[in-house]
Amino acid sequence: MASRAVLSEHWQREDREERDRLRQLEGQLNTLLDRRHELMTQVRALSAKQKELYNRSQAPQAEVERLHDEYAQLGKLLAELRKECEKARQRLEDSVVRRRELVLTFDRTERQNPEQLRKAMAELELRQQTRALTIDEENALIAELRQKAKDLEHIESRKAIALEHERQRHEAEEAITASRAEVERLVAAMATARTERDKRMVEIRTKLEAAGALVAEMRTAGRARAEVMTQVDVLSREIGEIEREGRELLARARVRREDARRIMKEYERPRPAPRRSDPTSIAESHLEELMKRGKVTLGG
């Protein structure tokens, strides 16, 4: 068996103490590594949760963007409908004013029906012929007949004008009806657009609340992950200190054993045979060498 270095009692004691310390450090290191592994498992779980929450938050955010675009389009449509409705109301007012002007401008007699006048005149003539009337009544009846005859003559002479006036009045009535219907249609369209826009706003709020809840969960998970990472950093520093101390202990042990091996080699090196004439000086030189290098024992 090759010779091995056996440490002196002092070195052996240091070696035992350092081996005990290394075993203690190993136990602490294993405990800290297990704890850090658990914490890293939590970190990965929280990271996965953050990613999952982020992916889930994309859908409501995209939906919010779509709803916001629709809301903006409905707002533009509502503005256009409002402008059209104002124009339609103005046309309605103009048509009403036009009809009022026609009514006030045209002669009332023009609106009388010639046939009705003839019928009324025939009734008056029949009354004059079949009834006994006083002079005053007959004079009044004759005066009425003459007036209606004048009216009939006037109507007949302005028949073309009356027809034109009637056409204009009819057009004014139709314009009023059409304008009123257009206003009503636009008002209904505005109400529908406003309802749809309000509905989009409610949906946007709902989606934003959902996205906000997810973002809040992401922030909570992020804070939890940061706290766990802080613990991981603390453990990593402790692990680094233990590893540093362990490396120092191992380095000292290697140096100590290398020193012992070097001393053993030097001690086992062949030496000149002592002269018989001076055995004492040889023993003293050996003792001095041993004292310089420390106490060692030899083992095979």
Side-chain angles (χ1 to χ4, degrees):
M1 177 183 297
S3 63
R4 60 183 179 84
V6 180
L7 303 179
S8 67
E9 292 181 3
H10 176 70
W11 285 5
Q12 287 177 356
R13 184 172 61 253
E14 288 184 351
D15 196 54
R16 284 194 301 271
E17 290 175 355
E18 290 181 358
R19 281 200 303 269
D20 292 340
R21 179 57 179 163
L22 282 171
R23 283 192 291 268
Q24 181 183 4
L25 292 176
E26 184 180 4
Q28 293 178 1
L29 183 61
N30 289 332
T31 300
L32 292 176
L33 288 174
D34 291 341
R35 177 57 181 159
R36 188 172 68 174
H37 177 73
E38 294 175 359
L39 292 176
M40 289 305 299
T41 300
Q42 294 181 28
V43 168
R44 286 189 289 271
L46 289 170
S47 298
K49 183 177 181 180
Q50 283 183 294
K51 183 178 180 181
E52 186 265 338
L53 290 171
Y54 174 79
N55 292 334
R56 286 172 54 192
S57 67
Q58 296 306 297
Q61 289 180 1
E63 189 69 10
V64 166
E65 293 179 1
R66 183 186 66 81
L67 291 171
H68 189 271
D69 290 340
E70 292 182 2
Y71 180 87
Q73 293 299 324
L74 287 170
K76 293 180 180 179
L77 175 61
L78 190 60
E80 294 174 359
L81 290 173
R82 190 178 292 110
K83 290 181 181 179
E84 292 182 12
C85 188
E86 290 299 324
K87 292 179 181 178
R89 285 197 176 99
Q90 186 62 47
R91 289 194 296 271
L92 176 60
E93 292 178 3
D94 294 343
S95 298
V96 171
V97 170
R98 174 62 176 164
R99 182 186 63 179
R100 188 177 297 123
E101 290 174 349
L102 290 172
V103 170
L104 294 176
T105 302
F106 296 160
D107 189 351
R108 289 180 177 273
T109 58
E110 293 178 359
R111 295 194 292 272
Q112 293 181 358
N113 190 333
E115 295 300 326
Q116 290 179 345
L117 282 175
R118 291 190 184 93
K119 183 178 180 180
M121 291 173 63
E123 291 175 352
L124 289 173
E125 290 175 354
L126 179 63
R127 180 182 176 187
Q128 182 183 22
Q129 294 173 2
T130 58
R131 293 184 182 183
L133 300 174
T134 63
I135 295 175
D136 293 336
E137 291 176 343
E138 187 171 359
N139 290 336
L141 188 147
I142 293 171
E144 186 176 358
L145 279 172
R146 288 175 180 173
Q147 184 60 46
K148 289 186 179 302
K150 290 181 180 181
D151 292 341
L152 180 60
E153 182 180 358
H154 179 73
I155 291 173
E156 291 291 344
S157 64
R158 296 177 58 86
K159 185 175 182 180
I161 297 175
L163 290 175
E164 178 61 21
H165 289 175
E166 185 63 25
R167 185 188 65 78
Q168 293 181 17
R169 284 195 299 270
H170 182 70
E171 288 179 352
E173 292 292 343
E174 288 183 343
I176 290 173
T177 301
S179 298
R180 184 176 290 114
E182 181 66 7
V183 170
E184 291 175 353
R185 184 189 71 80
L186 292 171
V187 168
M190 288 171 60
T192 300
R194 191 177 294 109
T195 299
E196 290 297 322
R197 189 183 63 170
D198 294 342
K199 181 180 177 181
R200 296 298 185 281
M201 179 55 68
V202 172
E203 293 176 351
I204 288 173
R205 289 197 188 99
T206 302
K207 297 297 181 182
L208 285 176
E209 289 174 358
L214 291 173
V215 170
E217 288 188 51
M218 289 171 59
R219 289 175 178 170
T220 301
R223 287 192 295 268
R225 184 182 182 279
E227 293 174 0
V228 176
M229 284 302 300
T230 300
Q231 299 179 44
V232 170
D233 292 339
V234 172
L235 287 176
S236 295
R237 286 192 293 270
E238 294 180 10
I239 290 171
E241 290 295 324
I242 290 175
E243 290 177 341
R244 180 189 59 76
E245 184 179 353
R247 285 192 297 269
E248 291 176 354
L249 290 173
L250 292 173
R252 286 203 298 269
R254 284 194 295 270
V255 170
R256 190 166 51 247
R257 291 182 181 276
E258 289 296 329
D259 288 344
R261 290 190 181 94
R262 179 175 54 79
I263 292 171
M264 289 297 298
K265 289 180 180 180
E266 291 180 359
Y267 186 80
E268 293 174 350
R269 184 180 303 161
R271 299 177 181 275
R275 290 175 294 178
R276 294 181 181 181
S277 60
D278 194 7
T280 303
S281 62
I282 294 174
E284 288 178 353
S285 64
H286 287 176
L287 178 60
E288 185 179 356
E289 182 68 20
L290 290 173
M291 290 178 66
K292 289 180 180 178
R293 299 183 180 183
K295 294 180 180 180
V296 297
T297 57
L298 298 178

PDB file of all heavy atoms in Angstrom, residues 149-166:
ATOM      1  N   ALA A 149    -124.197  85.261 -57.924  1.00  0.00           N
ATOM      2  CA  ALA A 149    -123.971  85.314 -59.357  1.00  0.00           C
ATOM      3  C   ALA A 149    -122.646  85.995 -59.661  1.00  0.00           C
ATOM      4  O   ALA A 149    -121.871  85.569 -60.534  1.00  0.00           O
ATOM      5  CB  ALA A 149    -125.119  86.041 -60.047  1.00  0.00           C
ATOM      6  N   LYS A 150    -122.370  87.086 -58.930  1.00  0.00           N
ATOM      7  CA  LYS A 150    -121.084  87.748 -59.103  1.00  0.00           C
ATOM      8  C   LYS A 150    -119.918  86.813 -58.716  1.00  0.00           C
ATOM      9  O   LYS A 150    -118.905  86.765 -59.415  1.00  0.00           O
ATOM     10  CB  LYS A 150    -121.033  89.021 -58.265  1.00  0.00           C
ATOM     11  CG  LYS A 150    -121.946  90.133 -58.765  1.00  0.00           C
ATOM     12  CD  LYS A 150    -121.821  91.365 -57.882  1.00  0.00           C
ATOM     13  CE  LYS A 150    -122.739  92.502 -58.365  1.00  0.00           C
ATOM     14  NZ  LYS A 150    -122.610  93.715 -57.518  1.00  0.00           N
ATOM     15  N   ASP A 151    -120.121  86.125 -57.603  1.00  0.00           N
ATOM     16  CA  ASP A 151    -119.062  85.197 -57.157  1.00  0.00           C
ATOM     17  C   ASP A 151    -118.831  84.111 -58.198  1.00  0.00           C
ATOM     18  O   ASP A 151    -117.679  83.744 -58.499  1.00  0.00           O
ATOM     19  CB  ASP A 151    -119.428  84.555 -55.825  1.00  0.00           C
ATOM     20  CG  ASP A 151    -119.421  85.562 -54.685  1.00  0.00           C
ATOM     21  OD1 ASP A 151    -118.811  86.637 -54.833  1.00  0.00           O
ATOM     22  OD2 ASP A 151    -120.002  85.257 -53.611  1.00  0.00           O
ATOM     23  N   LEU A 152    -119.944  83.603 -58.733  1.00  0.00           N
ATOM     24  CA  LEU A 152    -119.816  82.555 -59.733  1.00  0.00           C
ATOM     25  C   LEU A 152    -119.108  83.088 -60.970  1.00  0.00           C
ATOM     26  O   LEU A 152    -118.231  82.418 -61.546  1.00  0.00           O
ATOM     27  CB  LEU A 152    -121.201  82.023 -60.117  1.00  0.00           C
ATOM     28  CG  LEU A 152    -121.217  80.917 -61.172  1.00  0.00           C
ATOM     29  CD1 LEU A 152    -120.426  79.692 -60.688  1.00  0.00           C
ATOM     30  CD2 LEU A 152    -122.665  80.528 -61.513  1.00  0.00           C
ATOM     31  N   GLU A 153    -119.465  84.312 -61.356  1.00  0.00           N
ATOM     32  CA  GLU A 153    -118.828  84.905 -62.521  1.00  0.00           C
ATOM     33  C   GLU A 153    -117.324  85.100 -62.252  1.00  0.00           C
ATOM     34  O   GLU A 153    -116.483  84.850 -63.121  1.00  0.00           O
ATOM     35  CB  GLU A 153    -119.486  86.249 -62.847  1.00  0.00           C
ATOM     36  CG  GLU A 153    -118.905  86.908 -64.097  1.00  0.00           C
ATOM     37  CD  GLU A 153    -119.582  88.257 -64.387  1.00  0.00           C
ATOM     38  OE1 GLU A 153    -120.496  88.605 -63.623  1.00  0.00           O
ATOM     39  OE2 GLU A 153    -119.156  88.918 -65.346  1.00  0.00           O
ATOM     40  N   HIS A 154    -117.024  85.541 -61.010  1.00  0.00           N
ATOM     41  CA  HIS A 154    -115.621  85.764 -60.647  1.00  0.00           C
ATOM     42  C   HIS A 154    -114.830  84.447 -60.649  1.00  0.00           C
ATOM     43  O   HIS A 154    -113.706  84.380 -61.149  1.00  0.00           O
ATOM     44  CB  HIS A 154    -115.543  86.438 -59.266  1.00  0.00           C
ATOM     45  CG  HIS A 154    -114.143  86.687 -58.803  1.00  0.00           C
ATOM     46  ND1 HIS A 154    -113.341  87.681 -59.343  1.00  0.00           N
ATOM     47  CD2 HIS A 154    -113.388  86.057 -57.851  1.00  0.00           C
ATOM     48  CE1 HIS A 154    -112.174  87.665 -58.731  1.00  0.00           C
ATOM     49  NE2 HIS A 154    -112.175  86.676 -57.821  1.00  0.00           N
ATOM     50  N   ILE A 155    -115.484  83.425 -60.104  1.00  0.00           N
ATOM     51  CA  ILE A 155    -114.820  82.118 -60.063  1.00  0.00           C
ATOM     52  C   ILE A 155    -114.602  81.585 -61.462  1.00  0.00           C
ATOM     53  O   ILE A 155    -113.531  81.053 -61.792  1.00  0.00           O
ATOM     54  CB  ILE A 155    -115.645  81.135 -59.215  1.00  0.00           C
ATOM     55  CG1 ILE A 155    -115.600  81.548 -57.737  1.00  0.00           C
ATOM     56  CG2 ILE A 155    -115.103  79.716 -59.372  1.00  0.00           C
ATOM     57  CD1 ILE A 155    -116.521  80.723 -56.858  1.00  0.00           C
ATOM     58  N   GLU A 156    -115.593  81.711 -62.286  1.00  0.00           N
ATOM     59  CA  GLU A 156    -115.476  81.222 -63.642  1.00  0.00           C
ATOM     60  C   GLU A 156    -114.377  81.952 -64.403  1.00  0.00           C
ATOM     61  O   GLU A 156    -113.628  81.355 -65.192  1.00  0.00           O
ATOM     62  CB  GLU A 156    -116.814  81.390 -64.381  1.00  0.00           C
ATOM     63  CG  GLU A 156    -117.919  80.474 -63.883  1.00  0.00           C
ATOM     64  CD  GLU A 156    -117.655  79.015 -64.215  1.00  0.00           C
ATOM     65  OE1 GLU A 156    -116.783  78.734 -65.077  1.00  0.00           O
ATOM     66  OE2 GLU A 156    -118.300  78.141 -63.593  1.00  0.00           O
ATOM     67  N   SER A 157    -114.277  83.283 -64.148  1.00  0.00           N
ATOM     68  CA  SER A 157    -113.263  84.060 -64.856  1.00  0.00           C
ATOM     69  C   SER A 157    -111.852  83.759 -64.355  1.00  0.00           C
ATOM     70  O   SER A 157    -110.864  83.931 -65.073  1.00  0.00           O
ATOM     71  CB  SER A 157    -113.557  85.559 -64.705  1.00  0.00           C
ATOM     72  OG  SER A 157    -113.450  85.945 -63.343  1.00  0.00           O
ATOM     73  N   ARG A 158    -111.740  83.300 -63.100  1.00  0.00           N
ATOM     74  CA  ARG A 158    -110.415  82.995 -62.497  1.00  0.00           C
ATOM     75  C   ARG A 158    -110.242  81.500 -62.236  1.00  0.00           C
ATOM     76  O   ARG A 158    -109.529  81.110 -61.326  1.00  0.00           O
ATOM     77  CB  ARG A 158    -110.258  83.778 -61.194  1.00  0.00           C
ATOM     78  CG  ARG A 158    -110.249  85.301 -61.425  1.00  0.00           C
ATOM     79  CD  ARG A 158    -110.153  86.040 -60.092  1.00  0.00           C
ATOM     80  NE  ARG A 158    -108.962  85.661 -59.342  1.00  0.00           N
ATOM     81  CZ  ARG A 158    -107.765  86.222 -59.495  1.00  0.00           C
ATOM     82  NH1 ARG A 158    -107.586  87.193 -60.400  1.00  0.00           N
ATOM     83  NH2 ARG A 158    -106.728  85.828 -58.799  1.00  0.00           N
ATOM     84  N   LYS A 159    -110.933  80.748 -63.058  1.00  0.00           N
ATOM     85  CA  LYS A 159    -110.876  79.301 -62.831  1.00  0.00           C
ATOM     86  C   LYS A 159    -109.449  78.760 -62.933  1.00  0.00           C
ATOM     87  O   LYS A 159    -109.001  77.952 -62.109  1.00  0.00           O
ATOM     88  CB  LYS A 159    -111.777  78.598 -63.855  1.00  0.00           C
ATOM     89  CG  LYS A 159    -111.889  77.108 -63.631  1.00  0.00           C
ATOM     90  CD  LYS A 159    -112.896  76.510 -64.596  1.00  0.00           C
ATOM     91  CE  LYS A 159    -113.046  75.011 -64.345  1.00  0.00           C
ATOM     92  NZ  LYS A 159    -114.033  74.404 -65.294  1.00  0.00           N
ATOM     93  N   ALA A 160    -108.707  79.215 -63.959  1.00  0.00           N
ATOM     94  CA  ALA A 160    -107.339  78.730 -64.146  1.00  0.00           C
ATOM     95  C   ALA A 160    -106.460  79.140 -62.967  1.00  0.00           C
ATOM     96  O   ALA A 160    -105.639  78.364 -62.460  1.00  0.00           O
ATOM     97  CB  ALA A 160    -106.765  79.252 -65.442  1.00  0.00           C
ATOM     98  N   ILE A 161    -106.678  80.409 -62.517  1.00  0.00           N
ATOM     99  CA  ILE A 161    -105.892  80.876 -61.368  1.00  0.00           C
ATOM    100  C   ILE A 161    -106.231  80.077 -60.131  1.00  0.00           C
ATOM    101  O   ILE A 161    -105.356  79.697 -59.347  1.00  0.00           O
ATOM    102  CB  ILE A 161    -106.141  82.386 -61.145  1.00  0.00           C
ATOM    103  CG1 ILE A 161    -105.664  83.176 -62.361  1.00  0.00           C
ATOM    104  CG2 ILE A 161    -105.444  82.869 -59.875  1.00  0.00           C
ATOM    105  CD1 ILE A 161    -105.981  84.659 -62.292  1.00  0.00           C
ATOM    106  N   ALA A 162    -107.509  79.780 -59.949  1.00  0.00           N
ATOM    107  CA  ALA A 162    -107.943  79.012 -58.776  1.00  0.00           C
ATOM    108  C   ALA A 162    -107.357  77.611 -58.791  1.00  0.00           C
ATOM    109  O   ALA A 162    -106.938  77.083 -57.752  1.00  0.00           O
ATOM    110  CB  ALA A 162    -109.468  78.943 -58.738  1.00  0.00           C
ATOM    111  N   LEU A 163    -107.336  77.021 -60.000  1.00  0.00           N
ATOM    112  CA  LEU A 163    -106.744  75.683 -60.094  1.00  0.00           C
ATOM    113  C   LEU A 163    -105.256  75.713 -59.738  1.00  0.00           C
ATOM    114  O   LEU A 163    -104.744  74.806 -59.078  1.00  0.00           O
ATOM    115  CB  LEU A 163    -106.957  75.143 -61.515  1.00  0.00           C
ATOM    116  CG  LEU A 163    -108.405  74.775 -61.887  1.00  0.00           C
ATOM    117  CD1 LEU A 163    -108.488  74.373 -63.354  1.00  0.00           C
ATOM    118  CD2 LEU A 163    -108.901  73.632 -60.997  1.00  0.00           C
ATOM    119  N   GLU A 164    -104.554  76.770 -60.190  1.00  0.00           N
ATOM    120  CA  GLU A 164    -103.137  76.896 -59.854  1.00  0.00           C
ATOM    121  C   GLU A 164    -102.931  77.089 -58.357  1.00  0.00           C
ATOM    122  O   GLU A 164    -102.032  76.477 -57.752  1.00  0.00           O
ATOM    123  CB  GLU A 164    -102.533  78.083 -60.620  1.00  0.00           C
ATOM    124  CG  GLU A 164    -101.074  78.352 -60.322  1.00  0.00           C
ATOM    125  CD  GLU A 164    -100.163  77.195 -60.677  1.00  0.00           C
ATOM    126  OE1 GLU A 164    -100.554  76.334 -61.496  1.00  0.00           O
ATOM    127  OE2 GLU A 164     -99.033  77.133 -60.140  1.00  0.00           O
ATOM    128  N   HIS A 165    -103.817  77.949 -57.793  1.00  0.00           N
ATOM    129  CA  HIS A 165    -103.721  78.142 -56.344  1.00  0.00           C
ATOM    130  C   HIS A 165    -104.007  76.852 -55.592  1.00  0.00           C
ATOM    131  O   HIS A 165    -103.333  76.542 -54.602  1.00  0.00           O
ATOM    132  CB  HIS A 165    -104.704  79.237 -55.922  1.00  0.00           C
ATOM    133  CG  HIS A 165    -104.293  80.601 -56.352  1.00  0.00           C
ATOM    134  ND1 HIS A 165    -105.081  81.719 -56.158  1.00  0.00           N
ATOM    135  CD2 HIS A 165    -103.179  81.053 -57.010  1.00  0.00           C
ATOM    136  CE1 HIS A 165    -104.472  82.772 -56.638  1.00  0.00           C
ATOM    137  NE2 HIS A 165    -103.311  82.389 -57.183  1.00  0.00           N
ATOM    138  N   GLU A 166    -104.950  76.116 -56.052  1.00  0.00           N
ATOM    139  CA  GLU A 166    -105.292  74.836 -55.401  1.00  0.00           C
ATOM    140  C   GLU A 166    -104.118  73.850 -55.512  1.00  0.00           C
ATOM    141  O   GLU A 166    -103.819  73.108 -54.577  1.00  0.00           O
ATOM    142  CB  GLU A 166    -106.539  74.254 -56.054  1.00  0.00           C
ATOM    143  CG  GLU A 166    -107.054  72.993 -55.385  1.00  0.00           C
ATOM    144  CD  GLU A 166    -107.502  73.229 -53.958  1.00  0.00           C
ATOM    145  OE1 GLU A 166    -107.861  74.369 -53.615  1.00  0.00           O
ATOM    146  OE2 GLU A 166    -107.470  72.245 -53.164  1.00  0.00           O
TER     147      GLU A 166
END
